C-alpha cells in the first residue's frame, strides 16, 4: 500500500479550491509537510487529515475510502501475482515475495491477506526444502482457526486444507490425506459456489486412491470430476481427469477400447489447451494407446 493516490487527490482538491500549498498548510502543518503528502512520501496523521478534510470541503471518510481502495488494489494485485506464480510452481519467486511481505510488520492489510501470505510462504518453504513436511503441516494447521469469525468466508481456508491433504499424500500419510479431503467435501455450500475447486478435489482424490491401489474408488472420482466438468462446461482439469481415468482402467485390466478412449480424450484436451508438458507425457507414457493407426 502507498500514499500516492491520497496525495494526488489532496493536490487536486487544493487546486480546485484555489489554494497554494502554504495556504492549505496554514495553522495545520508546514508547507513542506503538504508538499510531501502530495508527493505520496508519507501518510498524514489522522488529526492533520481531519483538518485538511474540512479545509478541502470533503469528509474524513472520503480520504479513508481512498486509502482503503488503494490497499484493496494492492491486495488484489498481490493475490493475483501469487496465484499465477503458484500455478507455475515458481516457489523461489513466491518465497522471496512472501518473505518480504512478512517483514512489513508495521502494516495491517487484514487477517485474510496475512493468512494468504503465510500460506504461500509455508508452501514455498516446503517445496524449496527449507522446511520439512511435519513442520509445514503444523504451521498450516495453525493458520486454520475454525473459531475465527471469518473462517470459511474466504477461499484461502479451503486452499490451506487442500495443501494439507496434498502434503500428507506426498509423505504417504494416506489416511490423514483422505480425512482432510473428506472434511473439504463436507462444506457443501462452499463447494456449490466453487465448482472448479470441487473438480480439483475429485481429481486429487482419484490420485490418492490410485496410490493406495484402490482403483475402483479412483475411477469413481474421475467420473465425478468429469461429470462436473461437463455440467459446468469447464475443461480446466478434464485432461488430467481422463488421463487418471485411463490409468485406473488400465490397472483394473478393463476393456482396452475404454482405456484407449480415455487416454485419447486426455490427449485431445491437452492439445486443445496447448498444454505441451502434458502432451509430451501422454505421448511418451501411453503411446501404445494414443498412437495413430
Amino acid at each position: 500500500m502507498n500514499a500516492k493516490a491520497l496525495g494526488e487527490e489532496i493536490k487536486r482538491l487544493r487546486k480546485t479550491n484555489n489554494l497554494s500549498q502554504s495556504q492549505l498548510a496554514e495553522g495545520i502543518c508546514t508547507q513542506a509537510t503538504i508538499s510531501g503528502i502530495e508527493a505520496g512520501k508519507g501518510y498524514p496523521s489522522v488529526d492533520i487529515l481531519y483538518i485538511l478534510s474540512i479545509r478541502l470541503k470533503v469528509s474524513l471518510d472520503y480520504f479513508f475510502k481512498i486509502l482503503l481502495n488503494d490497499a484493496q488494489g494492492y491486495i488484489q494485485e498481490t493475490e493475483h501475482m501469487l496465484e499465477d506464480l503458484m500455478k507455475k510452481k515458481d516457489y523461489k519467486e513466491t518465497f522471496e515475495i512472501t518473505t518480504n511481505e512478512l517483514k512489513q510488520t508495521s502494516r495491517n492489510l487484514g487477517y485474510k491477506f496475512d493468512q494468504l501470505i503465510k500460506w504461500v510462504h509455508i508452501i514455498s518453504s516446503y517445496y524449496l526444502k527449507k522446511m520439512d513436511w511435519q513442520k509445514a503441516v503444523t504451521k498450516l494447521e495453525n493458520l486454520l482457526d475454525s473459531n475465527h469469525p471469518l473462517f470459511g468466508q474466504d477461499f484461502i481456508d479451503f486452499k490451506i486444507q487442500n495443501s494439507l491433504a496434498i502434503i500428507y499424500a506426498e509423505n504417504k500419510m494416506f489416511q490423514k490425506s483422505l480425512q482432510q479431503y473428506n472434511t473439504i467435501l463436507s462444506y457443501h455450500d462452499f463447494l456449490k459456489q466453487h465448482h472448479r475447486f470441487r473438480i480439483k478435489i475429485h481429481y486429487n482424490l482419484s490420485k490418492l486412491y490410485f496410490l493406495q491401489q484402490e482403483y475402483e474408488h479412483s475411477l469413481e472420482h474421475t467420473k465425478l470430476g468429469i461429470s462436473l466438468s461437463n455440467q459446468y462446461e469447464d475443461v480446466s482439469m478434464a485432461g488430467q481427469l481422463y488421463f487418471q481415468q485411463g490409468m485406473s482402467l488400465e490397472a483394473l485390466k478393463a476393456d482396452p477400447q475404454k482405456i484407449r478412449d480415455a487416454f485419447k480424450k486426455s490427449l485431445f484436451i491437452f492439445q486443445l489447451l496447448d498444454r505441451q508438458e502434458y502432451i509430451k507425457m501422454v505421448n511418451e507414457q501411453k503411446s501404445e494407446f494414443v498412437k495413430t493407426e
Side-chain angles (χ1 to χ4, degrees):
M1 185 169 69
N2 58 63
K4 186 178 179 182
L6 178 66
E8 288 177 350
E9 184 59 11
I10 287 175
K11 182 177 181 178
R12 187 190 72 80
L13 290 169
R14 175 176 62 77
K15 290 185 175 182
T16 299
N17 286 278
N18 296 312
L19 295 170
S20 66
Q21 286 185 343
S22 59
Q23 287 173 323
L24 179 59
E26 188 177 352
I28 304 174
C29 55
T30 65
Q31 185 268 333
T33 298
I34 295 297
S35 177
I37 292 170
E38 290 186 355
K41 293 181 178 179
Y43 294 101
S45 62
V46 175
D47 56 340
I48 289 177
L49 197 60
Y50 174 67
I51 301 172
L52 287 176
S53 70
I54 295 172
R55 192 160 290 179
L56 294 172
K57 302 172 185 176
V58 295
S59 69
L60 183 60
D61 280 348
Y62 177 77
F63 286 143
F64 283 156
K65 284 177 182 177
I66 292 173
L67 290 173
L68 180 61
N69 288 336
D70 188 38
Q72 198 60 39
Y74 179 80
I75 289 169
Q76 291 176 354
E77 181 182 337
T78 304
E79 285 179 346
H80 292 154
M81 176 174 58
L82 290 175
E83 182 180 0
D84 186 54
L85 289 169
M86 289 286 276
K87 282 181 180 178
K88 295 176 182 176
K89 298 184 178 180
D90 190 344
Y91 300 119
K92 183 177 179 181
E93 185 69 16
T94 55
F95 179 81
E96 291 177 2
I97 291 170
T98 53
T99 297
N100 183 63
E101 284 292 336
L102 290 171
K103 291 178 181 177
Q104 310 299 320
T105 55
S106 62
R107 185 177 63 191
N108 183 7
L109 295 179
Y111 170 74
K112 284 298 174 184
F113 184 75
D114 183 56
Q115 192 182 26
L116 167 72
I117 296 301
K118 289 178 180 177
W119 167 61
V120 175
H121 187 73
I122 294 165
I123 296 303
S124 302
S125 300
Y126 166 69
Y127 284 113
L128 290 173
K129 301 189 184 305
K130 296 177 182 289
M131 182 184 298
D132 63 39
W133 73 268
Q134 293 97 333
K135 187 174 181 180
V137 163
T138 299
K139 284 183 171 288
L140 288 172
E141 288 177 340
N142 288 339
L143 285 181
L144 293 169
D145 181 4
S146 59
N147 294 318
H148 195 283
L150 293 178
F151 180 80
Q153 296 183 29
D154 190 277
F155 211 164
I156 184 64
D157 291 311
F158 302 96
K159 287 182 176 179
I160 292 170
Q161 292 181 68
N162 186 50
S163 293
L164 279 166
I166 291 171
I167 292 174
Y168 278 133
E170 289 176 345
N171 292 279
K172 303 187 186 306
M173 302 289 288
F174 298 130
Q175 286 307 308
K176 283 275 193 180
S177 180
L178 183 59
Q179 288 171 13
Q180 195 65 60
Y181 281 129
N182 284 333
T183 297
I184 296 171
L185 287 174
S186 71
Y187 296 110
H188 303 294
D189 292 339
F190 169 80
L191 291 174
K192 284 179 183 177
Q193 301 173 45
H194 299 277
H195 70 269
R196 183 168 292 185
F197 186 67
R198 187 163 33 143
I199 291 169
K200 185 174 182 179
I201 295 301
H202 283 301
Y203 171 65
N204 288 346
L205 274 165
S206 71
K207 291 197 301 178
L208 177 61
Y209 278 119
F210 189 87
L211 286 171
Q212 297 180 86
Q213 299 182 1
E214 295 186 36
Y215 304 124
E216 290 286 0
H217 286 308
S218 177
L219 187 62
E220 178 186 350
H221 282 283
T222 63
K223 290 178 179 178
L224 288 168
I226 290 167
S227 176
L228 286 169
S229 297
N230 292 336
Q231 180 182 341
Y232 291 101
E233 299 181 350
D234 185 338
V235 297
S236 59
M237 295 293 297
Q240 292 94 319
L241 282 161
Y242 275 116
F243 184 83
Q244 191 61 45
Q245 185 177 77
M247 294 281 286
S248 298
L249 288 168
E250 188 179 11
L252 288 166
K253 301 185 180 348
D255 180 351
Q257 188 57 49
K258 288 185 178 180
I259 301 171
R260 189 174 295 110
D261 286 346
F263 285 130
K264 282 190 172 182
K265 286 177 182 177
S266 171
L267 181 61
F268 173 77
I269 294 167
F270 289 142
Q271 290 171 334
L272 185 69
L273 299 177
D274 194 27
R275 302 293 298 274
Q276 291 299 322
E277 71 277 24
Y278 286 109
I279 294 169
K280 182 180 178 182
M281 176 191 71
V282 178
N283 282 325
E284 288 183 353
Q285 295 183 18
K286 303 299 173 184
S287 60
E288 71 271 31
F289 294 108
V290 298
K291 63 184 177 183
T292 307
E293 296 293 340

